Amino acid sequence: ALLCDADDAAPLDRAVTLWLPGPDTVTGEDIAEFHIHGSRAVAARLLDILAAIPGMRMAEAGEFTRRAFLNGRMDLVQAEGLGDLLAAETETQRRQAMAMAEGGLSRKIAGWRERLLKAEARIEAELNFSDEGDVAEEAAADVAYGDIGIVKCEIDDALDAPSAEILRDGIRVALLGPPNAGKSTLFNALLNRDAAIVSRMPGTTRDVIEATMEIGGVPFLLSDTAGLREGGDAIEGEGVRRALQSAGRSDIVLWLGDPADGPRDKRRITIHPRCDESGRERAPEMADIAVSVVAGTGLSDLRTLLVERAQSLVPGDDQIALNQRQRGALRDASNSLESMDASDSVLVAESIRQARSDLDRITGGAGVEDMLDALFARFCIGK
């Protein structure tokens, strides 16, 4: 179609125009689309013309997705998944966000909710119609409690899966060791850029330096830290404190010091650095890997080892990563089922209703009005 300027009827652009009637659209509403050429001048002029029409305005951030949610075209979990998909920077983030946006968690919740509803119906039948000949009281209760137990186990399995935050923020990896151990050099080599200052002078790194990277589709957040030693000035002492603090909240610690020293837990990977130097060719028995940035030795193996360690920290392909809001509501549902008094059918039915209400909070069926603005504000304009 030929689009013309509303002021002087001058040709504006030749475009494809589409009319998509609701409710079978992404938002559930009538939608008109203009597929124009990519010129900024054409787009700007078309937006000016449309804005001059009474009742027309620019969409706000996340408005189309919010309308889709309010019109029942997607639930809150899918909307959150779409937001994560827009922000995804790694393949692992993309896969998890796509699973959410396509309704992976929503289908699980719908299944749990349906089984709880049937269990509640059996309990209610026992309460209200146990004197009827066609209601087998013991059989109904046994089936109901069996279904509740299965749902509780599946919910707890979902809660045991790694969280969405570790995918969003990256697996935290702290480089720790004494001064001049080669932490900053290794930090730069893993990042493939000069992010930290490198010097032979001890105490060059005074603060924690952080940078993100991706290996094999897995996001990492690397932290280069001050060398650990006693003494020094007050600034260096603060650097050591921050180094230990960074290591304490990390998922993986790369220790570049004496294998007999350093943190003693499963997070630690002991590195024998500068293995190209004379007298350092042979790594100590307790070292996990020998590395030389100068010679390029061990860097590929170290990246592989980081990904292997990460596999237990990030959700698998058959798992769905829950964010903090979803995890809190799901934990409440689990607690509601855990605390029910099996000796009182009335209280059992109430516990089931509370658990279903908790599940509804995840998908947006109840109690989410206060967080909708914050959610959709993360989206790009319109989307």
Side-chain angles (χ1 to χ4, degrees):
L2 178 63
L3 302 182
C4 296
D5 195 308
D7 291 339
D8 55 13
L12 178 64
D13 189 23
R14 287 197 176 274
V16 175
T17 60
L18 298 176
W19 174 251
L20 307 174
D24 296 325
T25 62
V26 66
T27 65
E29 302 168 327
D30 295 341
I31 295 177
E33 293 185 355
F34 295 89
H35 294 254
I36 61 174
H37 292 96
S39 165
R40 290 185 179 181
V42 172
R45 183 55 187 156
L46 180 58
L47 288 175
D48 288 341
I49 293 170
L50 293 174
I53 299 174
M56 298 280 282
R57 62 171 176 79
M58 289 286 290
E60 297 176 355
E63 184 162 357
F64 286 116
T65 306
R66 183 165 192 156
R67 289 181 179 222
F69 167 70
L70 294 176
N71 292 327
R73 299 297 293 176
M74 65 170 58
D75 63 26
L76 187 55
V77 172
Q78 292 172 295
E80 288 177 312
L82 181 56
D84 291 338
L85 186 61
L86 294 173
E89 296 180 349
T90 70
E91 178 61 17
T92 305
Q93 291 170 338
R94 185 199 65 78
R95 287 200 307 267
Q96 279 294 322
M98 195 66 185
M100 283 287 190
E102 291 295 307
L105 178 58
S106 300
R107 287 190 292 272
K108 281 183 176 291
I109 291 173
W112 293 332
R113 196 179 186 284
E114 179 67 20
R115 278 184 282 174
L116 289 177
L117 190 60
K118 290 180 178 178
E120 184 180 349
R122 293 189 178 98
I123 298 296
E124 293 288 355
E126 174 191 333
L127 284 171
N128 298 309
F129 306 106
S130 58
D131 56 341
E132 300 291 337
D134 57 349
V135 176
E137 180 176 342
E138 293 183 0
D142 289 344
V143 172
Y145 293 137
D147 286 345
I148 293 170
I150 292 173
V151 171
K152 172 73 165 58
C153 288
E154 291 181 3
I155 288 176
D156 289 343
D157 287 343
L159 288 170
D160 287 339
S163 70
E165 281 71 26
I166 199 169
L167 278 182
R168 182 194 64 204
D169 301 332
I171 295 172
R172 302 186 68 92
V173 180
L175 283 77
L176 205 65
N180 273 8
K183 299 184 297 298
S184 296
T185 302
L186 179 59
F187 180 77
N188 290 340
L190 289 173
L191 293 172
N192 286 319
R193 61 187 176 90
D194 292 333
I197 297 174
V198 176
S199 171
R200 290 186 176 274
M201 182 181 299
T204 300
T205 302
R206 296 293 187 100
D207 204 350
V208 177
I209 301 173
E210 295 185 337
T212 59
M213 70 173 186
E214 173 191 350
I215 307 176
V218 179
F220 291 89
L221 177 63
L222 262 62
S223 299
D224 184 24
T225 65
L228 303 182
R229 67 174 177 180
E230 297 181 358
D233 55 31
I235 296 177
E236 187 173 355
E238 176 63 17
V240 171
R241 187 191 70 79
R242 294 187 182 188
L244 295 173
Q245 186 180 58
S246 177
R249 63 173 182 261
S250 294
D251 304 300
I252 299 174
V253 175
L254 302 184
W255 173 250
L256 281 75
D258 188 327
D261 300 330
R264 299 179 181 275
D265 57 46
K266 62 182 181 181
R267 300 176 303 148
R268 167 173 148 173
I269 296 176
T270 302
I271 295 176
H272 177 63
R274 309 194 312 276
C275 65
D276 61 303
E277 296 180 4
S278 176
R280 296 184 58 85
E281 299 88 351
R282 186 179 181 84
E285 184 177 340
M286 294 175 62
D288 294 306
I289 188 169
V291 172
S292 167
V293 173
V294 174
T297 305
L299 289 175
S300 178
D301 292 338
L302 177 56
R303 291 189 177 95
T304 300
L305 184 55
L306 285 172
V307 173
E308 289 176 355
R309 289 288 183 93
Q311 297 309 313
S312 62
L313 301 173
V314 299
D317 292 337
D318 59 339
Q319 294 176 312
I320 293 181
L322 303 170
N323 62 32
Q324 185 175 6
R325 183 193 70 83
Q326 296 160 353
R327 185 175 293 275
L330 201 59
R331 186 175 292 110
D332 288 343
S334 176
N335 291 338
S336 295
L337 299 178
E338 177 75 29
S339 61
M340 69 181 186
D341 184 356
S343 65
D344 190 326
S345 297
V346 174
L347 295 180
V348 170
E350 180 57 33
S351 295
I352 296 174
R353 278 193 290 272
Q354 182 57 54
R356 287 196 292 110
S357 177
D358 295 329
L359 295 178
D360 285 341
R361 284 163 45 206
I362 300 176
T363 56
V368 296
E369 292 80 3
D370 57 343
M371 56 77 63
L372 291 181
D373 289 337
L375 167 63
F376 293 115
R378 296 193 297 120
F379 284 56
C380 55
I381 297 300
K383 186 66 174 181

